[in-house]
């Protein structure tokens, strides 16, 4: 507690810095909060611990989950409604996802798309129509599991993954445009400044914060409010061990600054948290290969439809199978994925039959042979009664058969070298309990005056599930809400 314990306002007779709204952290949520607060006509200061803007947001794929009938969806020939989008998100992000946040997010999604465009984020009106983590094109739209079971039975499918016009990872472009927009509206930014604790008045309201910069302590007064947008806590192993131990020991999906400091500072004054054990699990497989083959566990059995959003496969692989999983495919399935989209993945084992392959993998030969013969029998008829993979990806797999060990890793185009690990790359989804307007709520569910949060420092749309685009999506959307609310506060 020592570093994060709140400081009483009575301790300060003057401050080193003052602003109406102080935003802590300059990723997608911070930039969006800063933009909206300036639009409300107040003076905004962003403080950021790094020497530049961006956080995890700038490293990301840039995919934003948007829908309900955006111009990009319409241009690609899809009718979508806020209701269909909400039905999908409730199922995909649950159980227990925040229905009020999902409803608000979906109702305003088209308007949020237009806001992003006004900030300068470019979207190309074309569809990438194949399973992928990050498409190698500038297509502005992609599927993120909406056309896979069980979602096909829950909501009318429409692709909702909206991508800035950048090949591969586009988070840098999103952040370039959002920070330019915020600063051109007057937001001031101070880098190399690490917030450590909140300043709290006698009535319990947050009136500022204490930060460190190059060894100096700085007191910062926030006349209207403080917005915490400090990201999640995947880089803090103590917090992971306490809240989300299943996420320990895997590759961390972050910019290295997700130490949970914003969450802890707010917890230290009584803030509530939600869904702290939840995490996104990227699995080191090439979605196009998995969809064309099968994924089996150490018992040689399939456990999920291979064409679904790969993060769902990752969650099932980690939480149900301890990452003891293999992608099994044949030569055609491998060759049908264009070389640049293979991300350096090659099979580790090849054999003339399912039983021989199983021997190489150390899994029960009869089980794998049975799984593949049953899969092939149904695939020949375009059916998958076991896991409900779409007929588009069903084809009997012919020997020789190959196996890919997900622990061997993938090598996205932006990276070089080996990435062998556990096969899982994770970040946290849980965080501060916030209302739909971004207010931080205490353990009783009562608003803490002067304190707001958004992005992965908060628990946003997600409960347990995750779909790509919902993190940048809810970070930007509820970041805006938090910025507006902070500007109106007091
Ligand atoms: C490789 C990769 C690909 C991804 N792809 C996608 C995708 O396509 N779509 C999607 O939705 N999500 C994606 N994600 C996840 C997504 O990027 C993050 O969840 C999201 O960016 C979080 O946004 P944020 O604003 O909450 O945090 P961040 O963008 O991480 O910003 C938080 C900022 O706060 C600063 N900070 C932290 N603590 C303090 C402190 N105490 N004082 C001052 N500053 C502080 C940090 O330095 C950081 O700059 C991806 C992530 C990665 C790494």
């Amino acid at each position: 507690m020592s570093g994060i314990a709140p400081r009483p306002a009575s301790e300060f007779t003057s401050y080193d810095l003052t602003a109406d709204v102080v935003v802590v952290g300059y990723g997608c949520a911070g930039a969006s909060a800063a933009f909206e607060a300036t639009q409300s006509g107040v003076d905004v200061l962003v403080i950021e611990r790094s020497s530049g803007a961006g956080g995890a947001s700038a490293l990301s794929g840039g995919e934003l989950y948007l829908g309900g009938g955006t111009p990009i969806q319409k241009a690609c020939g899809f009718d979508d409604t806020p209701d269909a989008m909400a039905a999908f998100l409730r199922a995909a992000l649950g159980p227990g996802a925040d229905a009020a946040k999902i409803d608000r997010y979906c109702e305003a999604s088209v308007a949020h798309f237009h806001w992003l465009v006004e900030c300068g984020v470019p979207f190309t009106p074309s569809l990438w129509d194949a399973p992928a983590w990050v498409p190698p094109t500038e297509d502005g739209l992609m599927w993120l599991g909406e056309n896979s079971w069980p979602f096909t039975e829950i909501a009318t499918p429409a692709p909702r993954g909206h991508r800035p016009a950048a090949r591969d990872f586009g988070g840098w472009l999103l952040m370039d445009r959002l920070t330019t927009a915020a600063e051109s509206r007057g937001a001031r930014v101070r880098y190399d400044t690490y917030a450590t604790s909140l300043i709290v008045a006698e009535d319990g309201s947050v009136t500022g914060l204490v930060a460190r910069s190059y060894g100096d302590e700085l007191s910062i007064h926030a006349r209207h409010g403080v917005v915490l947008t400090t990201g999640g806590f995947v880089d803090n192993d103590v917090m992971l061990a306490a809240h989300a131990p299943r996420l320990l020991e895997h590759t961390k999906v972050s910019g290295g600054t997700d130490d949970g400091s914003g969450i802890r500072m707010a917890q230290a004054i009584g803030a509530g948290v939600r869904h702290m054990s939840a995490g996104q699990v990227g699995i080191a497989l090439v979605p196009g290969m998995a969809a064309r083959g099968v994924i089996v566990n150490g018992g040689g059995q399939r456990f999920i439809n291979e064409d679904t959003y790969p993060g769902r496969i990752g969650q099932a692989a980690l939480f149900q199978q301890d990452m003891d999983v293999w992608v099994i495919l044949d030569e055609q399935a491998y060759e049908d994925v264009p070389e640049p989209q293979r991300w350096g993945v090659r099979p580790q084992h090849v054999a003339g039959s399912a039983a021989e392959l199983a021997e190489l993998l150390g899994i029960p030969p009869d089980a794998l042979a049975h799984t593949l013969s049953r899969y092939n029998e149904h695939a020949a008829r375009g059916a998958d009664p076991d896991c409900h993979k779409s007929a588009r990806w069903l084809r009997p797999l012919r020997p020789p058969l190959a196996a890919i060990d997900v622990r061997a890793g993938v090598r996205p185009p932006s990276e070089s070298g080996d990435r062998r690990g556990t096969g899982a790359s994770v970040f946290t989804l849980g965080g501060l309990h916030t209302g739909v307007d971004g207010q931080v709520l205490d353990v009783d569910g009562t608003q803490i005056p002067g304190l707001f949060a958004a992005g992965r420092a908060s628990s946003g749309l997600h409960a347990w599930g995750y779909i790509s685009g919902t993190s940048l999506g809810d970070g930007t959307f509820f970041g805006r809400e938090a910025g507006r609310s902070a500007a109106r506060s007091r």
Side-chain angles (χ1 to χ4, degrees), residues 139-164:
D139 293 316
L141 193 62
M142 67 187 290
W143 293 96
L144 289 169
E146 302 91 340
N147 55 354
S148 71
W149 188 88
F151 306 114
T152 42
E153 296 181 1
I154 292 169
T156 306
R160 302 191 186 93
H162 285 64
R163 310 179 54 238

Side-chain angles (χ1 to χ4, degrees), residues 24-30 47-50 54-57 59-63 169 193-195 229-231 253-254 257-259 261-262 265 427 454-457 466 468-473:
V24 189
Y26 205 18
C28 72
I47 64 162
E48 164 58 51
R49 64 180 284 180
S50 304
S57 307
L59 300 173
S60 75
E63 292 154 14
F169 291 74
T193 303
Y194 180 70
T229 57
T230 45
V253 180
S254 81
T257 55
D258 280 359
D259 66 357
S261 49
M265 269 183 266
F427 66 86
R456 295 286 62 79
Y466 183 77
S468 260
T470 53
S471 193
L472 296 173

Side-chain angles (χ1 to χ4, degrees), residues 131-465:
W133 283 113
V134 187
T137 62
E138 292 189 3
D139 293 316
L141 193 62
M142 67 187 290
W143 293 96
L144 289 169
E146 302 91 340
N147 55 354
S148 71
W149 188 88
F151 306 114
T152 42
E153 296 181 1
I154 292 169
T156 306
R160 302 191 186 93
H162 285 64
R163 310 179 54 238
R167 289 171 182 272
D168 300 310
F169 291 74
W172 63 271
L173 179 55
L174 174 72
M175 285 311 299
D176 176 72
R177 300 304 154 90
L178 292 184
T179 53
T180 302
E183 288 166 48
S184 70
R185 265 51 171 205
R188 293 179 287 140
V189 187
R190 191 188 157 106
Y191 293 108
D192 303 308
T193 303
Y194 180 70
T196 55
S197 45
L198 296 168
I199 298 175
V200 182
E202 231 169 73
D203 64 0
S205 61
V206 172
T207 58
L209 56 87
V210 173
R212 276 200 317 266
S213 186
Y214 294 111
D216 292 333
E217 182 176 288
L218 290 176
S219 58
I220 305 178
H221 183 213
R223 290 189 206 96
H224 292 220
V226 170
V227 185
L228 297 172
T229 57
T230 45
F233 59 94
V234 76
D235 294 310
N236 184 328
D237 279 356
V238 174
M239 282 180 82
L240 281 187
H243 300 288
R246 296 301 304 267
L247 304 183
L248 278 167
E249 310 295 338
H250 302 290
T251 302
K252 295 172 187 300
V253 180
S254 81
T257 55
D258 280 359
D259 66 357
S261 49
I263 298 172
R264 294 177 69 242
M265 269 183 266
Q267 280 186 294
I269 65 163
V273 289
R274 286 285 183 275
H275 308 303
M276 293 289 277
S277 61
Q280 148 72 344
V281 184
I283 180 169
L285 53 70
V286 174
M289 288 182 198
R292 290 171 171 88
V294 295
I295 302 175
V296 297
N297 61 17
Q301 293 158 331
R302 294 172 71 213
F303 55 92
I304 195 161
N305 45 332
E306 295 85 357
D307 62 341
T308 196
Y309 168 63
R312 290 188 75 232
I313 300 175
Q315 283 194 331
L318 176 59
F319 300 134
Q320 295 162 21
Q321 313 294 342
D322 275 333
M323 294 315 289
D324 185 16
V325 301
W326 299 85
V327 179
I328 310 291
L329 69 178
D330 64 4
E331 196 169 344
Q332 185 181 333
Y334 185 77
E335 295 291 338
D336 280 353
V337 178
E339 205 274 329
Q341 293 166 39
R342 292 184 200 150
W343 283 21
V345 169
R346 295 175 61 81
Q348 286 77 33
H349 302 283
V350 180
S353 71
E356 283 168 32
L357 187 66
E359 298 275 6
L360 293 172
L361 306 184
I363 63 180
D366 290 351
L368 185 62
H370 175 74
T371 295
L372 288 179
S373 93
R374 185 175 163 82
Y375 175 81
N376 284 348
E377 191 186 310
H378 288 123
R381 298 203 301 270
D384 180 17
D386 296 334
C387 294
H388 310 281
K389 183 157 72 175
S390 151
R392 176 179 174 189
W393 304 107
L394 291 170
R395 179 184 57 76
L397 299 173
R398 314 244 177 255
L401 297 167
I404 295 168
D405 181 354
V406 298
R407 285 154 287 209
V410 294
R411 207 170 56 240
S414 54
E415 293 180 17
S416 59
D418 252 353
R419 232 173 84 158
R420 196 178 169 85
T422 62
S425 311
V426 299
F427 66 86
T428 56
L429 296 172
L432 296 169
H433 187 198
T434 53
V436 285
D437 295 325
Q439 324 92 326
V440 174
L441 307 177
D442 69 13
V443 286
D444 282 333
T446 307
Q447 189 185 341
I448 299 176
L451 189 61
F452 306 84
R456 295 286 62 79
S458 67
S459 173
L461 296 171
H462 318 88
W464 183 250

